[in-house]
Amino acid sequence: MEYTNLGRTGLSVSRLCLGTMNFGPQTDEAGSFAIMDRALEHGINFHDTANVYGWQLGEGVTERIIGRWFAQGGGRREKVVLATKVYGKMGDWPNEQGLSARHIVRACDDSLRRLQTDWIDLYQMHHVSRQTPWEEIWQAMETLVAQGKVLYVGSSNFAGWHIAAAQEAARRRNFLGLVSEQCIYNLLTRHVELEVIPAAQHHGLGVIPWSPLHGGLLSGAIRKEAAGEQARSGSGRSAEALTEHRGTIESYEKFCAELGHDPADVALAWLLSRPGVTAPIIGPRTTGQLDGSLRAFGVTLDDDVLTRLDELFPPVGKGGPAPEAWAW
């Protein structure tokens, strides 16, 4: 396994992050335990979750599964860099969501209890709050850091200017501020190249892409469809996106076949090669899917391949950061 620092911190994390959103809804507890154990065998020490995962209001289903896995001992908690999130609705009352100081502190304590741990390595704001001033947010986070309950703070789904505003407010308080941004980023969704990634790089944040395979569309969706094996890409928004991008996906799968690599491996390798990216989040439902993700480290993308991928999946505007991408 390859490791890198999380943003400007001294924290070492694996270059693949284990996403746990499927734990509970798609993968039962025994299967989830097996995936987390296998991740450690591969050296994947970066695990990401959220208090809302499991999608049963207020129950924190996925966090509870991870907590019971930690409780088995064997150094599991000590080996893992644990990331979870706060913001989502955890109850029916108005103060059981968002980024008020009250909710941040309460949600942190609830996550610690479910996760059966004394600390969270990376506590991420799952979404920006347009109603809460940064002074209130940072005061709450500073309290959690001082108490040893949280070590680092990250963001998720922030715009570039949100990152800048957060960091300026943290600087005024002599607080470390954000160390990472988790955002959707893949060959089909490249908007963050305009401002989010440049802002993250400028302020020393590691970028943690979620949905690196765009809901399975970049994992050989058309090939699987023909074989009757499609899963995520065969329903909901993924099915709609496949209809919209079918021609591109067909060309992409043909190109990957010419390269001799699986489409999922090429998509992950592309993200691993992108400036500012710390660790794409993989969300395996089985240990086999987890094992397969490591093939991405064996994929080398030369300039000709990268140029062809840009042709298949054009960046926004002229490519690169704003304003050059559209201004001149």
Side-chain angles (χ1 to χ4, degrees):
M1 178 53 55
E2 299 177 6
Y3 298 90
T4 189
N5 285 27
L6 180 62
R8 67 192 184 283
T9 76
L11 185 68
S12 294
V13 295
S14 50
R15 292 225 61 207
L16 288 179
C17 179
L18 177 66
T20 62
M21 191 171 66
N22 288 320
F23 295 178
Q26 300 292 329
T27 305
D28 64 18
E29 186 159 313
S32 301
F33 282 16
I35 289 172
M36 288 185 281
D37 283 333
R38 185 68 64 85
L40 288 186
E41 290 175 12
H42 287 309
I44 298 175
N45 73 333
F46 196 11
H47 294 196
D48 175 76
T49 191
N51 58 359
V52 294
Y53 288 174
W55 316 114
Q56 295 179 27
L57 185 61
E59 294 191 12
V61 172
T62 303
E63 285 189 334
R64 292 181 190 278
I65 290 173
I66 296 170
R68 289 190 286 270
W69 179 72
F70 283 147
Q72 295 178 101
R76 287 175 170 82
R77 178 63 190 96
E78 291 73 19
K79 294 172 183 175
V80 167
V81 174
L82 175 64
T84 192
K85 306 183 191 75
V86 57
Y87 178 89
K89 186 176 182 181
M90 294 300 289
D92 292 322
W93 287 84
N95 287 313
E96 294 182 289
Q97 60 185 311
L99 294 179
S100 68
R102 171 175 167 150
H103 183 61
I104 287 172
V105 172
R106 174 77 180 273
C108 180
D109 286 340
D110 289 345
S111 285
L112 289 170
R113 184 176 60 255
R114 287 189 293 264
L115 290 162
Q116 299 192 46
T117 184
D118 295 327
W119 83 98
I120 294 164
D121 294 290
L122 178 63
Y123 202 35
Q124 302 162 109
M125 291 169 268
H126 212 158
H127 195 281
V128 68
S129 174
R130 295 182 174 87
Q131 293 76 39
T132 314
W134 278 110
E135 288 75 15
E136 178 181 353
I137 292 171
W138 285 135
Q139 179 174 283
M141 293 297 187
E142 287 168 9
T143 298
L144 295 175
V145 170
Q147 293 172 342
K149 296 176 180 178
V150 167
L151 301 186
Y152 302 94
V153 181
S155 59
S156 182
N157 305 308
F158 276 30
W161 77 270
H162 296 141
I163 292 172
Q167 294 304 77
E168 178 59 23
R171 186 192 62 80
R172 292 195 299 267
R173 304 176 67 90
N174 294 314
F175 189 59
L176 183 63
L178 301 173
V179 303
S180 63
E181 160 61 16
Q182 186 178 141
C183 52
I184 184 169
Y185 186 27
N186 55 57
L187 281 164
L188 270 168
T189 307
R190 300 180 60 172
H191 301 86
V192 293
E193 293 174 349
L194 292 175
E195 298 195 16
V196 174
I197 290 178
Q201 290 182 292
H202 177 77
H203 290 286
L205 279 63
V207 175
I208 312 169
W210 60 268
S211 196
L213 303 181
H214 204 78
L217 293 192
L218 299 170
S219 65
I222 292 177
R223 180 193 66 204
K224 293 176 182 177
E225 179 185 66
E229 299 173 352
Q230 75 269 30
R232 289 186 64 191
S233 59
S235 61
R237 288 184 298 175
S238 294
E240 295 173 4
L242 179 57
T243 298
E244 179 182 356
H245 299 287
R246 177 172 288 273
T248 298
I249 299 299
E250 287 177 344
S251 298
Y252 173 65
E253 292 186 14
K254 180 180 179 181
F255 180 55
C256 291
E258 294 170 359
L259 294 175
H261 294 299
D262 188 86
D265 302 337
V266 174
L268 277 178
W270 180 81
L271 272 176
L272 287 166
S273 75
R274 302 305 295 169
V277 168
T278 297
I281 298 175
I282 55 173
R285 296 187 304 276
T286 66
T287 54
Q289 289 180 345
L290 173 63
D291 294 342
S293 298
L294 273 72
R295 294 193 303 262
F297 290 110
V299 177
T300 300
L301 305 178
D302 60 27
D303 290 343
D304 290 340
V305 172
L306 292 172
T307 297
R308 178 57 178 151
L309 290 175
D310 279 345
E311 292 170 352
L312 288 169
F313 304 100
V316 181
K318 301 174 185 177
E324 291 88 347
W326 64 72
W328 61 79

